[in-house]
Amino acid sequence: MENLYHLIANPSSKNGVLSLKKAESVLDAKGIPYKSYICEKPLEAREISKKISNESGNIVAIGGDGTFNNIINGIEDFDKTRLGFIIGGTGNDFAEAFHVNKDACEAMNEILLNREGTIDLMEVCGRKCLNVTSTGLDIEVLRTFNNMKVFKGKIKYLISLLITLIRFGSYRTVFKLDGKEYERNAIIIAGGNGICYGG
């Protein structure tokens, strides 16, 4: 696998660009080659990671849950791709569940140690998920969040949640678990791969 590191950052995430700069400083100090990508469009990270994975490479995802999700959904060949994570977002459930170092410099140094591990991915209707897959209230919160033009960060999430709680009601759902079918009134249905969801 090539020695070049591909740093993919989300500039709209809480600390995306700052974390990118810290990761770059570690690589500069060690003389390790890298290429940085600052994504300007929501799905750009997916397109970039797809290209890198098809050519074989090291990807460092810098952002939060949304950025990480876009990057893993771009990767087509996991056998040819090494993937590391640096926190730079608002929603960091995956990073919390899998103990990603909160300091960007230290996280980059840990990635360079090449201590590889594997994690399971979930897949729903062709979409890969790292930490949780869900439907219901949380999806409506995200829709409200994405449509809101004011506020940033956690305050934006909290306001989106309050607006959604006022508007949202339960719905009837049918699901199967371990071969058994259930019918319930639900607000949220979630399947998890980690220990943290929604903070």
Side-chain angles (χ1 to χ4, degrees):
M1 191 167 293
E2 65 171 12
N3 291 325
L4 181 69
Y5 282 81
H6 299 270
L7 312 179
I8 305 175
N10 175 6
S12 64
S13 66
K14 186 178 179 183
N15 293 309
V17 175
L18 178 61
S19 294
L20 171 65
K21 296 299 180 195
K22 288 181 177 180
E24 288 174 338
S25 71
V26 170
L27 295 171
D28 285 335
K30 295 178 183 291
I32 296 171
Y34 64 89
K35 184 172 182 182
S36 297
Y37 308 82
I38 298 179
C39 304
E40 302 296 340
K41 298 178 290 185
L43 297 181
E44 192 175 353
R46 194 175 301 184
E47 297 162 11
I48 294 167
S49 60
K50 177 180 178 180
K51 185 174 186 295
I52 295 165
S53 75
N54 287 328
E55 295 173 354
S56 177
N58 303 301
I59 296 174
V60 178
I62 303 172
D65 292 329
T67 303
F68 295 167
N69 184 271
N70 275 324
I71 288 171
I72 64 152
N73 275 284
I75 296 173
E76 292 186 336
D77 192 339
F78 283 92
D79 291 328
K80 296 196 307 187
T81 308
R82 288 179 64 248
L83 179 60
F85 301 95
I86 293 178
I87 296 173
T90 302
N92 298 308
D93 290 338
F94 169 79
E96 186 73 26
F98 291 92
H99 310 293
V100 175
N101 199 310
K102 291 181 174 145
D103 181 271
C105 291
E106 290 180 18
M108 189 68 242
N109 276 314
E110 288 174 7
I111 290 167
L112 294 174
L113 291 175
N114 294 321
R115 293 194 301 240
E116 295 182 17
T118 58
I119 58 171
D120 292 325
L121 293 177
M122 297 171 285
E123 189 169 337
V124 180
C125 301
R127 179 94 183 240
K128 295 185 280 287
C129 313
L130 274 170
N131 186 58
V132 69
T133 179
S134 63
T135 186
L137 176 71
D138 56 340
I139 302 304
E140 293 305 316
V141 172
L142 287 174
R143 284 184 181 145
T144 303
F145 181 89
N146 289 332
N147 290 328
M148 191 180 295
K149 305 301 180 193
V150 293
F151 305 112
K152 287 186 176 182
K154 290 199 175 183
I155 188 70
K156 186 175 177 180
Y157 272 114
L158 290 171
I159 292 170
S160 299
L161 173 61
L162 289 172
I163 291 169
T164 306
L165 284 171
I166 292 166
R167 298 178 181 166
F168 191 81
S170 66
Y171 57 97
R172 199 73 179 159
T173 184
V174 178
F175 62 95
K176 285 184 179 178
L177 179 64
D178 296 331
K180 188 175 178 182
E181 190 170 285
Y182 300 85
E183 187 172 350
R184 298 281 192 275
N185 283 328
I187 294 174
I188 296 174
I189 295 176
N193 193 27
I195 58 169
C196 185
Y197 172 42

